[in-house]
Amino acid sequence: MNQKDYLGRDLAEDDFVIFMRQGYRELKLGKIKNFTKTGKPRICWQTKWGEQTLLQDGYQVVKVDGPDLTFFLLNKQDQQ
C-alpha cells in the first residue's frame, strides 16, 4: 500500500517531511526512516537527546524537497 502525503504525493523511505510533533503545536522537519507492515511512515528527527521517532499516517505529513528543503536547511543552520 503506497502512502501519500497531505498533497497526494507518493512517500518513500528517506523522504524529508514536515510534520506536527505529538504534544506540541510546532512543525518539525523529519525523514522517513521506514514503513510499518501496515504502511505507516516512521519519521525520525534529531534532538539534543538523540534521535526521536514517530509513526504518522501519510496524510498527516507534507513531503519537502528541492529548493524548499535546501532553503530550510540553510536557514536553520544560520540560526544555530
Side-chain angles (χ1 to χ4, degrees), residues 12-70:
E13 198 170 305
D14 294 328
D15 281 346
F16 284 94
V17 294
I18 300 292
F19 67 99
M20 180 87 56
R21 200 170 134 198
Q22 74 273 30
Y24 293 87
R25 294 185 63 171
E26 66 179 348
L27 297 173
K28 298 292 286 181
L29 176 70
K31 190 174 189 180
I32 296 178
K33 188 172 190 172
N34 55 34
F35 290 86
T36 65
K37 289 180 183 180
T38 59
K40 283 189 174 191
R42 179 172 284 114
I43 301 164
C44 66
W45 70 99
Q46 291 295 320
T47 68
K48 60 183 173 183
W49 301 283
E51 183 178 274
Q52 302 290 312
T53 61
L54 172 68
L55 287 177
Q56 291 279 43
D57 286 309
Y59 66 86
Q60 294 175 309
V61 303
V62 176
K63 181 177 168 178
V64 290
D65 56 8
D68 291 332
L69 178 59
T70 302

